Amino acid sequence: NHGLQTVADNDPDAFLFLYLVETACAIQVRAQGHGAERVTSDPRIIAGAMAQAAEATRGAGGGIAWDALLRRLDRHDPSYRH
C-alpha cells in the first residue's frame, strides 16, 4: 500500500496537508505524462509554500474550511458520525 499519510496537531490541518500533497502529486504526475522531468523540491520552496498557506488561511490552517466540509458530509451521508 503506497497511499498518502499526513500528521498534524488536529483533523482540519491533517486534511489540509493531505489535500495539498495529493494535489501536488497529481500535478507532478500530469507534468511527467507530458515529458517533464521529476523535480525534487528545494526546502526554500516548501518553506515559502507553507508561509503562503498560512497567509492565505489567515493562520487558521485547515480550520478555515473544516466546518463547511463537515456540513457537506452531513448532507451527503450523516452516518459517518456513528
Side-chain angles (χ1 to χ4, degrees):
N1 184 1
H2 297 299
L4 294 175
Q5 294 182 357
T6 59
V7 176
D9 293 332
N10 54 62
D11 292 340
D13 284 345
F15 175 82
L16 177 63
F17 298 157
L18 182 68
Y19 175 81
L20 294 173
V21 170
E22 192 279 330
T23 301
C25 290
I27 291 168
Q28 184 162 346
V29 166
R30 281 189 225 118
Q32 286 179 279
H34 293 283
E37 291 186 27
R38 183 171 164 247
V39 178
T40 303
S41 295
D42 182 319
R44 294 171 295 180
I45 294 171
I46 295 170
M50 295 293 286
Q52 288 176 348
E55 185 176 331
T57 63
R58 297 187 177 126
I64 198 164
W66 188 249
D67 290 337
L69 291 169
L70 290 179
R71 287 191 302 273
R72 179 183 239 183
L73 186 55
D74 282 336
R75 285 191 306 272
H76 178 72
D77 184 4
S79 68
Y80 78 95
R81 291 190 180 262
H82 301 291

